[in-house]
């Protein structure tokens, strides 16, 4: 009897130890699904920002040199009366990430009218494979107020700020002659036609498109783009994709001294067109 009781106690003790050693199972949703990128923007010059300036921080996939960069996250902050340093916080959904992707950060500060005051001039790689990344303090340089993104077209010289919708954009159709400094395919046609009521139509290389747009100062935005769904040869479809990527993310434009329209995306990709 005593032996039977002893064996039962040992068995119960062994089961208790086994149960205690079994790891707790957590639901799948506990996995990380977002990455938070933080830091602050500043510049060395002792120049105050006008009230109502905006700061924008963009994170893009810049893995491939032969295609436009893809924006995966963007944060825009109205600074009100605040001055630098400007703290930023950008949340990236990891479902938008490529495990083999290369991601970089760009930051700008603009006037209330959209003029580029300050910009990053250094490539800032971002590690998005942990839950949290602190970029520290990023120093911006002068963006030469009144111009769009620096460097791609050194002869660019913008006209004064637009007095209203499409005052300088509307009129004859713009024919695209270059997309991100790769030219355009021979005998292909890409075009943009702005009206004075905030609508734009054109040919994206294969399909036609229409959208809304707003233009204030050198600031340019396209909204609600719709396109036909015709299929074309792969090279033409790739050109169309590059065109629509820039149109979809456009932030600035300028008109050069020789009359070329240059539309800029945040990553520096451009569309150049002439009448």
């Amino acid at each position: 009897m005593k032996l039977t009781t002893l064996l039962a106690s040992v068995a119960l003790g062994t089961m208790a130890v086994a149960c205690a050693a079994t790891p707790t199972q957590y639901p799948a949703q506990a996995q990380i699904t977002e990455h938070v990128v933080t830091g602050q923007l500043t510049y060395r010059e002792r120049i105050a920002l006008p009230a109502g300036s905006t700061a924008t921080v963009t994170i893009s996939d810049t893995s491939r040199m032969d295609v436009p960069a893809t924006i995966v996250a963007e944060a825009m902050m109205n600074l009100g009366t605040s001055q630098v340093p400007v703290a930023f916080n950008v949340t990236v959904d990891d479902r938008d990430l490529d495990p083999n992707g290369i991601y970089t950060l760009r930051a700008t500060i603009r006037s209330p009218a959209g003029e580029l005051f300050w910009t990053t001039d250094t490539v800032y790689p971002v590690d998005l494979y942990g839950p949290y990344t602190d970029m520290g303090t990023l120093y911006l340089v002068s963006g030469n107020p009144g111009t769009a993104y620096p460097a791609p077209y050194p002869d660019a010289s913008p006209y004064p700020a637009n007095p209203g919708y499409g005052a300088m954009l509307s009129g004859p159709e713009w024919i695209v002659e270059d997309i991100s400094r790769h030219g355009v395919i021979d005998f292909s046609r890409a075009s943009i036609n702005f009206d004075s009521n905030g609508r734009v139509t054109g040919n994206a290389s294969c399909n036609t498109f229409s959208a809304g747009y707003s233009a204030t100062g050198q600031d340019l935005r396209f909204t609600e783009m719709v396109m036909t769904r015709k299929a074309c040869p792969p090279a033409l479809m790739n050109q169309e994709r590059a065109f629509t990527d820039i149109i979809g993310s456009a932030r600035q434009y300028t008109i050069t001294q020789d009359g070329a329209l240059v539309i800029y995306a945040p990553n520096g990709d451009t569309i150049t067109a002439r009448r």
Side-chain angles (χ1 to χ4, degrees):
M1 224 25 197
K2 290 183 178 179
L3 178 59
T4 302
T5 303
L6 177 60
L7 291 174
S9 299
V10 171
L12 289 172
T14 302
M15 291 176 61
V17 170
C19 290
T22 301
T24 303
Q25 298 297 316
Y26 293 98
Q29 59 265 31
Q31 297 177 353
I32 296 171
T33 59
E34 292 182 340
H35 305 269
V36 179
V37 181
T38 62
Q40 60 179 4
L41 310 177
T42 191
Y43 46 83
R44 301 184 187 280
E45 292 81 352
R46 297 175 61 85
I47 300 175
L49 293 170
S53 295
T54 58
T56 303
V57 178
T58 302
I59 297 175
S60 302
D61 182 348
T62 53
S63 306
R64 299 178 59 186
M65 298 297 292
D66 57 337
V67 298
T70 301
I71 296 175
V72 297
E74 185 176 69
M76 182 177 292
M77 299 154 283
N78 188 319
L79 304 182
T81 58
S82 299
Q83 300 294 323
V84 294
V86 176
F88 66 84
N89 184 312
V90 185
T91 300
V92 183
D93 189 326
D94 67 358
R95 291 171 294 183
D96 297 329
L97 303 181
D98 181 341
N100 299 314
I102 298 174
Y103 298 93
T104 57
L105 181 148
R106 174 182 172 85
T108 60
I109 297 177
R110 300 181 183 279
S111 75
E115 297 170 311
L116 181 64
F117 276 1
W118 306 96
T119 180
T120 48
D121 66 342
T122 300
V123 175
Y124 290 99
V126 185
D127 180 3
L128 294 178
Y129 301 103
Y132 177 82
T133 300
D134 184 3
M135 301 294 293
T137 300
L138 306 183
Y139 284 90
L140 280 59
V141 300
S142 173
N144 189 12
T147 66
Y149 296 94
Y153 291 87
D155 63 336
S157 177
Y159 291 98
N162 292 345
Y165 264 133
M168 303 192 61
L169 296 172
S170 61
E173 186 177 46
W174 297 91
I175 305 301
V176 176
E177 64 179 26
D178 181 84
I179 300 174
S180 286
R181 297 173 290 285
H182 293 300
V184 294
I185 297 172
D186 290 345
F187 306 112
S188 66
R189 180 180 177 81
S191 62
I192 310 171
N193 191 356
F194 298 88
D195 70 20
S196 58
N197 298 311
R199 296 296 301 173
V200 60
T201 57
N203 192 317
S205 291
C206 174
N207 290 279
T208 58
F209 73 94
S210 65
Y213 80 95
S214 62
T216 305
Q218 303 308 126
D219 184 86
L220 178 64
R221 300 286 193 279
F222 294 92
T223 61
E224 301 174 351
M225 179 182 289
V226 294
M227 296 181 64
T228 57
R229 296 180 177 274
K230 183 172 66 174
C232 290
L236 207 56
M237 297 305 292
N238 289 337
Q239 177 173 290
E240 178 168 284
R241 190 175 302 110
F243 175 90
T244 56
D245 283 348
I246 295 171
I247 292 293
S249 62
R251 293 291 183 271
Q252 287 274 302
Y253 81 98
T254 191
I255 299 178
T256 65
Q257 290 178 333
D258 62 353
L261 166 66
V262 185
I263 299 173
Y264 298 85
N267 61 5
D269 287 334
T270 58
I271 291 172
T272 302
R274 296 179 187 273
R275 287 172 164 157

